[in-house]
Amino acid sequence: MKKVIIVVSAMIVVVAGLLIFLQNVNLNRLGADNYYVQIKGGGEKTESKLGNGEKFVTYEYTLPAFNEAGEEKVFTFTSSKQLREEAYLNLFVKDDKGVTSYQEVQKDEIPDKAKAKLEGIS
């Protein structure tokens, strides 16, 4: 009986740990390269309808971005809302998928080489 209780308890701990992990970790960011960009312009607004007739709006941005070494690449990514003008973003990029996620960051959080390149295009 003790063995059954131990096994069930261990399974509960593993399942609870897995659920906590999935809630707190964005899998789109795991193994991704970091590029930094500053929002310039309002993005290209696209409206479409879902199957139930509900309107869906996205904003598409195509901007130059820089990695920690200051290397430039141009990325196109979308957002469900219009991003704040002049905001700095950390783009999470996977080779096979492009930009998989982004997060707004403060200017002082950007690596020096990337920050210098972003200031050069301002």
Side-chain angles (χ1 to χ4, degrees), residues 35-38 60-67 70-77 91 93-95 97-99 118 121:
Y35 281 82
Y36 300 89
V37 66
Q38 185 176 22
E60 184 176 275
Y61 296 86
T62 301
L63 297 166
F66 302 92
N67 64 10
E71 298 167 346
E72 178 179 355
K73 283 190 180 180
V74 176
F75 293 105
T76 299
F77 60 98
L91 302 179
V93 180
K94 292 188 179 179
D95 289 334
K97 296 181 181 178
V99 177
L118 285 170
I121 63 171

Side-chain angles (χ1 to χ4, degrees), residues 1 8 18 23-24 53 68 79 106 110:
M1 187 65 164
V8 170
L18 183 61
Q23 287 180 338
N24 294 315
E68 290 181 4
S79 173
Q106 298 300 315
I110 299 172

Side-chain angles (χ1 to χ4, degrees), residues 36 38 66-68 70 88 106-122:
Y36 300 89
Q38 185 176 22
F66 302 92
N67 64 10
E68 290 181 4
Y88 292 98
Q106 298 300 315
K107 187 175 182 178
D108 61 352
E109 297 176 57
I110 299 172
D112 292 336
K113 289 183 181 180
K115 188 186 316 181
K117 296 282 187 164
L118 285 170
E119 289 171 349
I121 63 171
S122 293

